[in-house]
Amino acid sequence: NAGVMQNPRHLVRRRGQEARLRCSPMKGHSHVYWYRQLPEEGLKFMVYLQKENIIDESGMPKERFSAEFPKEGPSILRIQQVVRGDSAAYFCASSPSAGGQETQYFGPGTRLLVL
Amino acid sequence: GENVEQHPSTLSVQEGDSAVIKCTYSDSASNYFPWYKQELGKRPQLIIDIRSNVGEKKDQRIAVTLNKTAKHFSLHITETQPEDSAVYFCAASPGGKLIFGQGTELSVKP
């Protein structure tokens, strides 16, 4: 049973470009969460999605950031017009169901570097 | 919203000693409390979790205690080994999302 997959593992973008980060949850998991980890800092919740639905986006910056989890395919975190402050590790996690007591399994992360 | 405070930020122990990391949370609706270990450059890995209907859980050298009245929970690692060196994060879940503490960098000296 493959774990949570993320790609790319490393992404370099110049300021103003777009970054697209992909996350495939574990088989059988229908809930996806995105977290951001700035250098030398902790993990900050960004968004929680179920297939075709955003459940909680309270941690998402108001501009430039968007997320989706379509019926088919991976979840996508999209950052438009990247700035240097977006440089961070972006982790996705998945769980089999909701309810707040389900274990979340993390992917390997995408390390974004903005030049 | 939920806020999780974690202490200490760094902890250094001798191999074989015990290590204790403490967290407090603010939202009484939180009912799930996992602990993750993160090695440098790696993903967070779940090491133990506790749900609100129990006060203590143990898995070999690792134990977690939860006091819902006081809104705090702790991680205990006994007989520490050099490979326990990592950053440890506590978290609380008020419903779906995880709110993490700031992390504790544990160093186990041989």
Side-chain angles (χ1 to χ4, degrees), chain B residues 39-77:
Chain B
E39 296 174 335
L40 190 63
K42 300 286 183 63
R43 76 184 78 189
Q45 292 205 304
L46 180 76
I47 55 170
I48 195 166
D49 57 12
I50 191 166
R51 290 168 174 82
S52 58
N53 57 344
V54 297
E56 186 174 354
K57 183 176 177 181
K58 189 174 181 181
D59 182 5
Q60 300 184 348
R61 298 185 297 111
I62 295 173
V64 58
T65 58
L66 170 64
N67 183 328
K68 286 219 76 180
T69 303
K71 294 197 187 75
H72 65 71
F73 55 114
S74 301
L75 177 72
H76 304 251
I77 306 174

Side-chain angles (χ1 to χ4, degrees), chain A residues 10-23:
Chain A
H10 299 273
L11 183 61
V12 180
R13 284 288 178 266
R14 296 193 179 278
R15 281 178 296 169
Q17 291 184 320
E18 178 179 290
R20 281 187 179 235
L21 288 61
R22 295 174 190 78
C23 169

Side-chain angles (χ1 to χ4, degrees), chain A residues 2 5 8 12 26 28 32-34 41 47 66 70 73-74 86 92 97 114:
Chain A
M5 310 285 282
V12 180
M26 287 179 70
V32 165
Y33 313 80
W34 286 92
E41 292 192 14
V47 63
S66 62
D86 296 333
C92 132
S97 61
V114 180

Side-chain angles (χ1 to χ4, degrees), chain A residues 83-105:
Chain A
V83 301
R84 288 211 175 115
D86 296 333
S87 296
Y90 292 82
F91 290 96
C92 132
S94 73
S95 68
S97 61
Q101 294 197 10
E102 291 291 335
T103 299
Q104 292 185 23
Y105 298 91

